């Protein structure tokens, strides 16, 4: 798909068909987009977790209480370790959140290209997510997303509500 068309049409999907699983080769192409994402000093401090097993899905779903989330057939989690990411020497800024966010964004755009819906979710309960995935103490997660097909009858939002360029850009 043409790139600008893709970013125009991507939207957060909050209506999934629980019965329609995403084929493994499609999931792998999406993961490959994350693998190719840039990271500070190329540290790649991440793990991509795809949850599709009903028992683990049910556990993960306790971390975010929305009815639509219960219908997600797969959930993608980007986890990472601060100890593995690059740190700026001047002020100790650690790039972990930036790295994991870029990887997630690459995968969200790749999913759109595959016709797979996603919704960036940050408002999950981290303790419940950690418990569901048995994450190690040093692993962090900033965002998760469902991966799935929109349910039948899903209607795309017709407009994107965004600030105008003139209100957010400075040419100096
Ligand atoms: C960092 C971040 C956190 C978000 N957290 C949530 C969330 O917890 N739940 C949710 O439904 N949407 C969440 N969203 C989705 C935004 O609400 C959505 O991207 C925004 O309203 C623009 O709509 P669009 O994605 O359809 O273009 C989040 C998006 C970002 C970037």
């Amino acid at each position: 798909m043409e790139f600008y068309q893709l970013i125009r049409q991507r939207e957060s999907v909050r209506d999934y068909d629980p019965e329609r699983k995403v084929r493994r080769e499609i999931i792998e192409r999406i993961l490959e987009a994350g693998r190719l994402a840039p990271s500070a000093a190329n540290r790649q401090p991440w793990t991509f977790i795809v949850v599709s097993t009903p028992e683990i899905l049910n556990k993960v779903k306790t971390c975010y209480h929305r009815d639509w989330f219960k219908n997600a057939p797969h959930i993608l989690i980007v986890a990472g370790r601060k100890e593995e990411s690059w740190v700026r020497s001047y002020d100790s800024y650690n790039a972990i959140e930036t790295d994991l966010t870029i990887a997630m964004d690459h995968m969200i755009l790749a999913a759109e290209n595959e016709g797979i819906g996603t919704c960036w979710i940050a408002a999950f309960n981290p303790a419940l997510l950690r418990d569901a995935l048995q994450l190690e103490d040093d692993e962090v997660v900033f965002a998760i997303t469902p991966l799935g097909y929109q349910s039948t009858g899903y209607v795309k939002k017709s407009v994107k509500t965004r600030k105008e360029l003139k209100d957010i850009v400075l040419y100096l």
Side-chain angles (χ1 to χ4, degrees):
M1 190 187 306
E2 199 270 324
F3 181 70
Y4 292 104
Q5 168 66 21
L6 185 142
I7 53 178
R8 254 194 307 274
Q9 77 169 43
R10 184 221 50 85
E11 65 180 18
S12 296
V13 173
R14 299 184 181 90
D15 187 0
Y16 293 91
D17 179 345
E19 305 304 328
R20 218 175 144 198
K21 310 276 184 261
V22 181
R23 292 204 318 273
R24 178 59 73 95
E25 67 259 34
I26 296 179
I27 290 185
E28 284 183 0
R29 285 199 294 272
I30 294 169
L31 294 170
E32 176 68 0
R35 188 181 79 84
L36 294 175
S39 58
N42 203 21
R43 292 284 177 86
Q44 307 162 63
W46 46 52
T47 310
F48 307 147
I49 305 167
V50 182
V51 180
S52 313
T53 318
E55 191 191 326
I56 309 178
L57 259 183
N58 287 339
K59 275 192 173 175
V60 169
K61 286 176 182 176
T62 62
C63 81
Y64 186 63
H65 290 285
R66 295 289 182 282
D67 283 342
W68 59 266
F69 189 59
K70 295 191 178 82
N71 284 338
H74 311 272
I75 297 172
L76 169 65
I77 297 105
V78 176
R81 289 192 161 86
K82 236 176 162 176
E83 292 70 22
E84 292 179 9
S85 52
W86 176 80
V87 178
R88 186 164 57 204
S89 57
Y90 300 100
D91 59 359
S92 301
Y93 153 73
N94 184 306
I96 186 72
E97 186 169 350
T98 309
D99 289 345
L100 301 192
T101 300
I102 293 170
M104 180 62 108
D105 199 47
H106 269 49
M107 291 192 275
I108 282 180
L109 292 178
E112 180 68 29
N113 195 48
E114 298 285 350
I116 305 300
T118 58
C119 181
W120 198 290
I121 297 173
F124 58 86
N125 180 321
L128 294 179
L129 184 71
R130 305 192 75 78
D131 185 51
L133 296 172
Q134 303 279 287
L135 294 179
E136 309 276 335
D137 287 348
D138 61 343
E139 284 181 289
V140 289
V141 175
F142 300 103
I144 65 176
T145 179
L147 292 175
Y149 293 94
Q150 293 88 334
S151 63
T152 321
Y154 176 83
V155 182
K156 253 184 153 359
K157 292 171 216 134
S158 53
V159 282
K160 270 215 176 288
T161 319
R162 294 292 191 267
K163 295 177 182 175
E164 295 297 328
L165 273 185
K166 68 176 172 45
D167 299 325
I168 57 171
V169 176
L170 292 177
Y171 290 106
L172 297 177

